[in-house]
Amino acid sequence: MPEVDTASILARIARLRVPLGFVVGVVAIALARPSVTTLMLGVPIAVVGEGVRIWAAGHLEKGQEVTSSGPYCWVRHPLYAGSSIIGAGFIVAAGSPLVALAVAIYLGLTLTAAIKSEEAWLAERFGATYDRYQAGTSSEADRAFSLDRAMRNREYRAVAGLVIVVGLLWLRAV
């Protein structure tokens, strides 16, 4: 039996998470059964998740460094944590057990793959600096949040996606 290259499979899943997200999103919106109540409960959760993502994106120079400022001093992957919170809000807003299952599988699979791939890349690129960050022994960075940095990290795309999804769910509900 041939040996399975797990790292390669995880990297491929990680690279496909955005296109897969669009497919899962279209299917999820089609299966959604939102109501005004589920939207009132779920949308604020998703907005909190996007807030976490914006906060994280405003502290990170992607691909250039290992940072421990902002949410990175508490959570190793705050962008993915924010995405998970957005997913939970979407599940609540959609009001469908099938959507909950699809989104949970999608997030569990793709975010796990992204985290594993990213950690391997960071360890290779930044070596001991990343090892100290993983161990929680890196020095705390004293960097202020920057909306400009969040924009350079293209977080506006996630905001736009959230607005579109909420709008589509609202149209389904009313």
Side-chain angles (χ1 to χ4, degrees):
M1 183 183 307
E3 193 172 311
V4 176
D5 182 5
T6 307
S8 177
I9 292 169
L10 290 173
R12 176 170 279 152
I13 292 169
R15 280 191 307 275
L16 291 173
R17 75 182 177 276
V18 172
L20 284 172
F22 281 113
V23 172
V24 170
V26 168
V27 170
I29 288 170
L31 294 173
R33 300 293 174 251
S35 67
V36 172
T37 301
T38 63
L39 287 167
M40 288 177 59
L41 294 171
V43 170
I45 296 168
V47 168
V48 167
E50 184 53 41
V52 170
R53 285 189 55 88
I54 291 168
W55 183 31
H59 280 275
L60 177 65
E61 294 292 346
K62 284 186 179 181
Q64 304 300 310
E65 66 178 357
V66 176
T67 186
S68 58
S69 71
Y72 290 89
C73 70
W74 292 298
V75 179
R76 196 179 302 168
H77 299 282
L79 286 166
Y80 298 141
S83 294
S84 296
I85 296 166
I86 292 169
F90 179 71
I91 286 169
V92 172
S96 165
L98 288 174
V99 169
L101 180 63
V103 171
I105 290 170
Y106 165 76
L107 288 173
L109 181 65
T110 61
L111 293 185
T112 299
I115 287 168
K116 298 251 185 235
S117 296
E118 185 176 292
E119 287 181 345
W121 181 83
L122 288 167
E124 182 179 314
R125 170 101 192 248
F126 297 107
T129 301
Y130 187 65
D131 292 342
R132 284 190 301 277
Y133 174 73
Q134 278 189 304
T137 58
S138 63
S139 61
E140 189 174 320
D142 189 21
R143 172 189 289 162
F145 170 82
S146 165
L147 185 57
D148 183 55
R149 189 179 297 116
M151 295 296 280
R152 282 195 314 271
N153 285 323
R154 298 181 289 199
E155 195 55 33
Y156 55 85
R157 291 179 176 181
V159 172
L162 180 59
V163 169
I164 290 167
V165 167
V166 168
L168 291 170
L169 289 176
W170 178 257
L171 289 173
R172 298 276 332 255
V174 298

Short mmCIF file of all heavy atoms in Angstrom, two decimals, residues 25-78:
data_model
loop_
_atom_site.label_atom_id
_atom_site.label_comp_id
_atom_site.label_asym_id
_atom_site.label_seq_id
_atom_site.Cartn_x
_atom_site.Cartn_y
_atom_site.Cartn_z
N GLY A 25 -21.38 27.41 1.21
CA GLY A 25 -22.24 28.57 1.47
C GLY A 25 -23.49 28.57 0.60
O GLY A 25 -24.59 28.82 1.09
N VAL A 26 -23.33 28.29 -0.69
CA VAL A 26 -24.48 28.25 -1.61
C VAL A 26 -25.45 27.16 -1.19
O VAL A 26 -26.67 27.37 -1.10
CB VAL A 26 -24.02 28.07 -3.07
CG1 VAL A 26 -25.19 27.73 -3.98
CG2 VAL A 26 -23.32 29.33 -3.56
N VAL A 27 -24.91 25.98 -0.89
CA VAL A 27 -25.76 24.86 -0.45
C VAL A 27 -26.43 25.20 0.88
O VAL A 27 -27.63 24.97 1.06
CB VAL A 27 -24.93 23.55 -0.33
CG1 VAL A 27 -25.72 22.46 0.35
CG2 VAL A 27 -24.45 23.11 -1.72
N ALA A 28 -25.68 25.79 1.79
CA ALA A 28 -26.23 26.12 3.10
C ALA A 28 -27.34 27.16 3.00
O ALA A 28 -28.37 27.05 3.67
CB ALA A 28 -25.11 26.62 4.03
N ILE A 29 -27.15 28.17 2.16
CA ILE A 29 -28.20 29.18 2.00
C ILE A 29 -29.44 28.55 1.37
O ILE A 29 -30.56 28.86 1.76
CB ILE A 29 -27.68 30.39 1.20
CG1 ILE A 29 -26.71 31.17 2.09
CG2 ILE A 29 -28.83 31.28 0.73
CD1 ILE A 29 -25.94 32.26 1.39
N ALA A 30 -29.24 27.62 0.43
CA ALA A 30 -30.38 26.94 -0.18
C ALA A 30 -31.14 26.09 0.84
O ALA A 30 -32.37 25.98 0.77
CB ALA A 30 -29.91 26.06 -1.34
N LEU A 31 -30.41 25.50 1.78
CA LEU A 31 -31.03 24.64 2.80
C LEU A 31 -31.52 25.41 4.03
O LEU A 31 -32.23 24.86 4.86
CB LEU A 31 -30.04 23.56 3.26
CG LEU A 31 -29.62 22.53 2.23
CD1 LEU A 31 -28.50 21.65 2.80
CD2 LEU A 31 -30.80 21.68 1.79
N ALA A 32 -31.13 26.67 4.14
CA ALA A 32 -31.44 27.46 5.33
C ALA A 32 -32.94 27.67 5.48
O ALA A 32 -33.67 27.79 4.51
CB ALA A 32 -30.73 28.81 5.25
N ARG A 33 -33.37 27.73 6.72
CA ARG A 33 -34.75 28.01 7.08
C ARG A 33 -34.76 29.12 8.13
O ARG A 33 -35.22 28.95 9.25
CB ARG A 33 -35.44 26.76 7.63
CG ARG A 33 -35.50 25.59 6.67
CD ARG A 33 -36.43 25.92 5.48
NE ARG A 33 -36.38 24.88 4.47
CZ ARG A 33 -35.81 25.01 3.28
NH1 ARG A 33 -35.21 26.13 2.96
NH2 ARG A 33 -35.82 24.04 2.41
N PRO A 34 -34.21 30.29 7.74
CA PRO A 34 -34.10 31.36 8.73
C PRO A 34 -35.44 31.99 9.06
O PRO A 34 -36.37 31.96 8.26
CB PRO A 34 -33.19 32.38 8.04
CG PRO A 34 -33.47 32.17 6.58
CD PRO A 34 -33.73 30.69 6.43
N SER A 35 -35.50 32.54 10.24
CA SER A 35 -36.66 33.33 10.66
C SER A 35 -36.10 34.62 11.24
O SER A 35 -34.90 34.75 11.47
CB SER A 35 -37.46 32.58 11.72
OG SER A 35 -36.70 32.45 12.92
N VAL A 36 -36.96 35.56 11.51
CA VAL A 36 -36.50 36.80 12.13
C VAL A 36 -35.83 36.47 13.47
O VAL A 36 -34.79 37.05 13.81
CB VAL A 36 -37.67 37.80 12.30
CG1 VAL A 36 -37.25 39.00 13.12
CG2 VAL A 36 -38.20 38.23 10.93
N THR A 37 -36.38 35.53 14.19
CA THR A 37 -35.81 35.15 15.50
C THR A 37 -34.42 34.55 15.34
O THR A 37 -33.49 34.93 16.06
CB THR A 37 -36.73 34.16 16.22
OG1 THR A 37 -38.00 34.77 16.40
CG2 THR A 37 -36.17 33.75 17.57
N THR A 38 -34.25 33.59 14.40
CA THR A 38 -32.92 32.98 14.25
C THR A 38 -31.91 34.01 13.77
O THR A 38 -30.75 33.97 14.18
CB THR A 38 -32.94 31.77 13.29
OG1 THR A 38 -33.32 32.19 11.97
CG2 THR A 38 -33.86 30.67 13.78
N LEU A 39 -32.35 34.94 12.93
CA LEU A 39 -31.45 36.01 12.48
C LEU A 39 -31.06 36.93 13.63
O LEU A 39 -29.89 37.31 13.77
CB LEU A 39 -32.08 36.81 11.35
CG LEU A 39 -32.14 36.09 10.00
CD1 LEU A 39 -33.06 36.83 9.05
CD2 LEU A 39 -30.75 35.94 9.42
N MET A 40 -32.02 37.27 14.47
CA MET A 40 -31.74 38.16 15.61
C MET A 40 -30.78 37.50 16.60
O MET A 40 -30.02 38.19 17.28
CB MET A 40 -33.03 38.57 16.30
CG MET A 40 -33.84 39.56 15.47
SD MET A 40 -35.42 40.00 16.21
CE MET A 40 -34.89 40.70 17.75
N LEU A 41 -30.81 36.18 16.66
CA LEU A 41 -29.89 35.46 17.55
C LEU A 41 -28.54 35.21 16.90
O LEU A 41 -27.49 35.35 17.54
CB LEU A 41 -30.51 34.13 17.98
CG LEU A 41 -31.76 34.20 18.85
CD1 LEU A 41 -32.39 32.82 19.01
CD2 LEU A 41 -31.43 34.80 20.20
N GLY A 42 -28.55 34.83 15.63
CA GLY A 42 -27.32 34.41 14.97
C GLY A 42 -26.45 35.53 14.43
O GLY A 42 -25.22 35.44 14.49
N VAL A 43 -27.06 36.57 13.90
CA VAL A 43 -26.27 37.65 13.29
C VAL A 43 -25.34 38.32 14.31
O VAL A 43 -24.16 38.54 14.00
CB VAL A 43 -27.17 38.66 12.55
CG1 VAL A 43 -26.39 39.90 12.13
CG2 VAL A 43 -27.82 38.00 11.33
N PRO A 44 -25.80 38.63 15.52
CA PRO A 44 -24.85 39.23 16.49
C PRO A 44 -23.66 38.32 16.80
O PRO A 44 -22.54 38.80 16.99
CB PRO A 44 -25.70 39.47 17.74
CG PRO A 44 -27.09 39.59 17.23
CD PRO A 44 -27.17 38.64 16.06
N ILE A 45 -23.88 37.02 16.81
CA ILE A 45 -22.77 36.08 17.04
C ILE A 45 -21.77 36.20 15.90
O ILE A 45 -20.56 36.30 16.11
CB ILE A 45 -23.29 34.64 17.18
CG1 ILE A 45 -24.18 34.50 18.42
CG2 ILE A 45 -22.12 33.64 17.22
CD1 ILE A 45 -24.96 33.19 18.49
N ALA A 46 -22.28 36.20 14.67
CA ALA A 46 -21.41 36.31 13.50
C ALA A 46 -20.66 37.64 13.49
O ALA A 46 -19.47 37.70 13.14
CB ALA A 46 -22.23 36.14 12.22
N VAL A 47 -21.33 38.71 13.90
CA VAL A 47 -20.68 40.03 13.95
C VAL A 47 -19.54 40.02 14.97
O VAL A 47 -18.47 40.59 14.72
CB VAL A 47 -21.72 41.14 14.24
CG1 VAL A 47 -21.04 42.47 14.57
CG2 VAL A 47 -22.66 41.30 13.05
N VAL A 48 -19.74 39.37 16.10
CA VAL A 48 -18.65 39.24 17.08
C VAL A 48 -17.48 38.50 16.45
O VAL A 48 -16.32 38.90 16.60
CB VAL A 48 -19.14 38.53 18.36
CG1 VAL A 48 -17.97 38.10 19.24
CG2 VAL A 48 -20.09 39.43 19.14
N GLY A 49 -17.77 37.43 15.72
CA GLY A 49 -16.71 36.68 15.04
C GLY A 49 -15.95 37.55 14.06
O GLY A 49 -14.71 37.49 14.00
N GLU A 50 -16.67 38.36 13.30
CA GLU A 50 -15.99 39.26 12.36
C GLU A 50 -15.18 40.31 13.12
O GLU A 50 -14.10 40.69 12.68
CB GLU A 50 -16.98 39.92 11.41
CG GLU A 50 -16.32 40.79 10.36
CD GLU A 50 -15.22 40.09 9.58
OE1 GLU A 50 -15.38 38.90 9.22
OE2 GLU A 50 -14.18 40.73 9.32
N GLY A 51 -15.69 40.75 14.26
CA GLY A 51 -14.92 41.68 15.09
C GLY A 51 -13.60 41.08 15.54
O GLY A 51 -12.56 41.76 15.53
N VAL A 52 -13.62 39.81 15.91
CA VAL A 52 -12.39 39.11 16.30
C VAL A 52 -11.43 39.07 15.11
O VAL A 52 -10.23 39.32 15.24
CB VAL A 52 -12.69 37.69 16.82
CG1 VAL A 52 -11.42 36.87 16.99
CG2 VAL A 52 -13.46 37.75 18.14
N ARG A 53 -11.96 38.77 13.92
CA ARG A 53 -11.12 38.71 12.72
C ARG A 53 -10.50 40.07 12.41
O ARG A 53 -9.31 40.16 12.10
CB ARG A 53 -11.92 38.20 11.52
CG ARG A 53 -12.19 36.70 11.55
CD ARG A 53 -12.78 36.24 10.22
NE ARG A 53 -11.94 36.63 9.11
CZ ARG A 53 -10.92 35.91 8.63
NH1 ARG A 53 -10.61 34.73 9.17
NH2 ARG A 53 -10.21 36.35 7.60
N ILE A 54 -11.29 41.13 12.49
CA ILE A 54 -10.77 42.47 12.22
C ILE A 54 -9.68 42.83 13.22
O ILE A 54 -8.62 43.35 12.86
CB ILE A 54 -11.90 43.51 12.23
CG1 ILE A 54 -12.82 43.30 11.02
CG2 ILE A 54 -11.35 44.94 12.24
CD1 ILE A 54 -14.12 44.08 11.08
N TRP A 55 -9.95 42.54 14.50
CA TRP A 55 -8.96 42.81 15.55
C TRP A 55 -7.65 42.07 15.25
O TRP A 55 -6.56 42.64 15.33
CB TRP A 55 -9.56 42.40 16.90
CG TRP A 55 -8.72 42.67 18.10
CD1 TRP A 55 -7.83 43.68 18.30
CD2 TRP A 55 -8.73 41.91 19.31
NE1 TRP A 55 -7.27 43.60 19.55
CE2 TRP A 55 -7.81 42.52 20.20
CE3 TRP A 55 -9.42 40.79 19.73
CZ2 TRP A 55 -7.57 42.03 21.47
CZ3 TRP A 55 -9.19 40.31 21.02
CH2 TRP A 55 -8.26 40.93 21.87
N ALA A 56 -7.76 40.79 14.89
CA ALA A 56 -6.57 40.00 14.59
C ALA A 56 -5.85 40.53 13.35
O ALA A 56 -4.62 40.69 13.35
CB ALA A 56 -6.95 38.53 14.40
N ALA A 57 -6.60 40.81 12.30
CA ALA A 57 -5.99 41.30 11.05
C ALA A 57 -5.31 42.64 11.26
O ALA A 57 -4.34 42.96 10.55
CB ALA A 57 -7.06 41.40 9.96
N GLY A 58 -5.77 43.41 12.21
CA GLY A 58 -5.16 44.71 12.50
C GLY A 58 -3.90 44.62 13.33
O GLY A 58 -3.28 45.64 13.64
N HIS A 59 -3.50 43.41 13.70
CA HIS A 59 -2.28 43.21 14.48
C HIS A 59 -1.24 42.37 13.75
O HIS A 59 -0.15 42.15 14.28
CB HIS A 59 -2.60 42.53 15.83
CG HIS A 59 -3.12 43.47 16.85
ND1 HIS A 59 -2.31 44.21 17.66
CD2 HIS A 59 -4.39 43.82 17.16
CE1 HIS A 59 -3.04 44.97 18.45
NE2 HIS A 59 -4.31 44.76 18.16
N LEU A 60 -1.54 41.91 12.56
CA LEU A 60 -0.70 40.93 11.88
C LEU A 60 -0.19 41.43 10.53
O LEU A 60 -0.97 41.93 9.73
CB LEU A 60 -1.51 39.64 11.65
CG LEU A 60 -0.81 38.52 10.89
CD1 LEU A 60 0.37 37.98 11.69
CD2 LEU A 60 -1.80 37.40 10.60
N GLU A 61 1.09 41.27 10.31
CA GLU A 61 1.68 41.46 8.98
C GLU A 61 1.84 40.06 8.42
O GLU A 61 2.83 39.37 8.65
CB GLU A 61 3.04 42.18 9.07
CG GLU A 61 2.96 43.60 9.57
CD GLU A 61 2.27 44.56 8.61
OE1 GLU A 61 2.05 44.20 7.43
OE2 GLU A 61 1.93 45.67 9.06
N LYS A 62 0.82 39.60 7.68
CA LYS A 62 0.78 38.22 7.19
C LYS A 62 2.02 37.86 6.39
O LYS A 62 2.46 38.61 5.53
CB LYS A 62 -0.46 38.00 6.30
CG LYS A 62 -1.73 37.87 7.07
CD LYS A 62 -2.87 37.51 6.12
CE LYS A 62 -4.17 37.35 6.89
NZ LYS A 62 -5.27 36.98 6.01
N GLY A 63 2.56 36.70 6.73
CA GLY A 63 3.70 36.17 6.01
C GLY A 63 5.02 36.84 6.33
O GLY A 63 6.07 36.43 5.83
N GLN A 64 5.00 37.88 7.15
CA GLN A 64 6.21 38.65 7.44
C GLN A 64 6.76 38.45 8.85
O GLN A 64 7.90 38.81 9.11
CB GLN A 64 5.94 40.15 7.24
CG GLN A 64 5.41 40.51 5.87
CD GLN A 64 6.39 40.12 4.77
OE1 GLN A 64 7.56 40.44 4.83
NE2 GLN A 64 5.90 39.41 3.77
N GLU A 65 5.92 37.91 9.74
CA GLU A 65 6.33 37.88 11.14
C GLU A 65 5.48 36.89 11.93
O GLU A 65 4.48 36.38 11.45
CB GLU A 65 6.12 39.26 11.75
CG GLU A 65 4.64 39.63 11.80
CD GLU A 65 4.35 40.97 12.43
OE1 GLU A 65 5.27 41.64 12.89
OE2 GLU A 65 3.17 41.33 12.46
N VAL A 66 5.93 36.67 13.15
CA VAL A 66 5.13 36.00 14.17
C VAL A 66 4.80 37.10 15.16
O VAL A 66 5.71 37.72 15.72
CB VAL A 66 5.91 34.87 14.86
CG1 VAL A 66 5.10 34.25 15.98
CG2 VAL A 66 6.33 33.81 13.85
N THR A 67 3.53 37.37 15.36
CA THR A 67 3.16 38.45 16.28
C THR A 67 2.50 37.86 17.52
O THR A 67 1.89 36.81 17.48
CB THR A 67 2.21 39.47 15.62
OG1 THR A 67 2.01 40.56 16.52
CG2 THR A 67 0.86 38.87 15.28
N SER A 68 2.66 38.59 18.61
CA SER A 68 1.97 38.20 19.85
C SER A 68 1.19 39.38 20.40
O SER A 68 0.85 39.42 21.57
CB SER A 68 2.97 37.68 20.88
OG SER A 68 3.95 38.65 21.16
N SER A 69 0.87 40.34 19.54
CA SER A 69 0.10 41.50 19.99
C SER A 69 -1.39 41.26 19.79
O SER A 69 -1.80 40.34 19.07
CB SER A 69 0.54 42.77 19.25
OG SER A 69 0.13 42.76 17.91
N GLY A 70 -2.19 42.08 20.43
CA GLY A 70 -3.64 41.97 20.30
C GLY A 70 -4.12 40.58 20.71
O GLY A 70 -3.67 40.02 21.72
N PRO A 71 -5.02 39.99 19.91
CA PRO A 71 -5.57 38.68 20.29
C PRO A 71 -4.55 37.55 20.20
O PRO A 71 -4.77 36.48 20.78
CB PRO A 71 -6.70 38.48 19.28
CG PRO A 71 -6.30 39.28 18.09
CD PRO A 71 -5.59 40.48 18.66
N TYR A 72 -3.43 37.79 19.51
CA TYR A 72 -2.41 36.75 19.37
C TYR A 72 -1.71 36.44 20.69
O TYR A 72 -1.05 35.42 20.80
CB TYR A 72 -1.39 37.13 18.29
CG TYR A 72 -1.98 37.08 16.92
CD1 TYR A 72 -2.61 38.20 16.37
CD2 TYR A 72 -1.96 35.91 16.17
CE1 TYR A 72 -3.18 38.15 15.11
CE2 TYR A 72 -2.53 35.85 14.91
CZ TYR A 72 -3.15 36.97 14.39
OH TYR A 72 -3.72 36.91 13.15
N CYS A 73 -1.87 37.30 21.69
CA CYS A 73 -1.26 36.98 22.98
C CYS A 73 -2.14 36.00 23.77
O CYS A 73 -1.70 35.42 24.75
CB CYS A 73 -0.94 38.24 23.78
SG CYS A 73 -2.36 39.14 24.41
N TRP A 74 -3.39 35.81 23.33
CA TRP A 74 -4.30 34.87 24.02
C TRP A 74 -4.65 33.65 23.20
O TRP A 74 -4.92 32.60 23.75
CB TRP A 74 -5.60 35.57 24.40
CG TRP A 74 -5.43 36.62 25.45
CD1 TRP A 74 -4.98 36.44 26.73
CD2 TRP A 74 -5.67 38.00 25.31
NE1 TRP A 74 -4.94 37.64 27.39
CE2 TRP A 74 -5.36 38.62 26.53
CE3 TRP A 74 -6.13 38.79 24.26
CZ2 TRP A 74 -5.49 39.98 26.74
CZ3 TRP A 74 -6.25 40.15 24.46
CH2 TRP A 74 -5.93 40.72 25.68
N VAL A 75 -4.72 33.80 21.89
CA VAL A 75 -5.18 32.72 21.01
C VAL A 75 -4.17 32.57 19.88
O VAL A 75 -3.78 33.57 19.27
CB VAL A 75 -6.58 33.06 20.41
CG1 VAL A 75 -7.05 31.98 19.47
CG2 VAL A 75 -7.59 33.30 21.50
N ARG A 76 -3.75 31.36 19.60
CA ARG A 76 -2.74 31.14 18.57
C ARG A 76 -3.24 31.48 17.17
O ARG A 76 -2.48 31.95 16.34
CB ARG A 76 -2.27 29.68 18.62
CG ARG A 76 -0.98 29.50 17.87
CD ARG A 76 -0.46 28.09 17.90
NE ARG A 76 -0.24 27.63 19.25
CZ ARG A 76 0.00 26.37 19.57
NH1 ARG A 76 0.04 25.46 18.64
NH2 ARG A 76 0.19 26.03 20.82
N HIS A 77 -4.51 31.23 16.90
CA HIS A 77 -5.07 31.47 15.56
C HIS A 77 -6.37 32.28 15.66
O HIS A 77 -7.45 31.76 15.39
CB HIS A 77 -5.33 30.14 14.85
CG HIS A 77 -4.10 29.32 14.64
ND1 HIS A 77 -3.20 29.60 13.64
CD2 HIS A 77 -3.61 28.26 15.31
CE1 HIS A 77 -2.21 28.73 13.69
NE2 HIS A 77 -2.43 27.92 14.70
N PRO A 78 -6.29 33.55 16.02
CA PRO A 78 -7.52 34.32 16.21
C PRO A 78 -8.32 34.54 14.93
O PRO A 78 -9.55 34.67 15.00
CB PRO A 78 -7.05 35.64 16.82
CG PRO A 78 -5.62 35.74 16.44
CD PRO A 78 -5.09 34.33 16.36
#
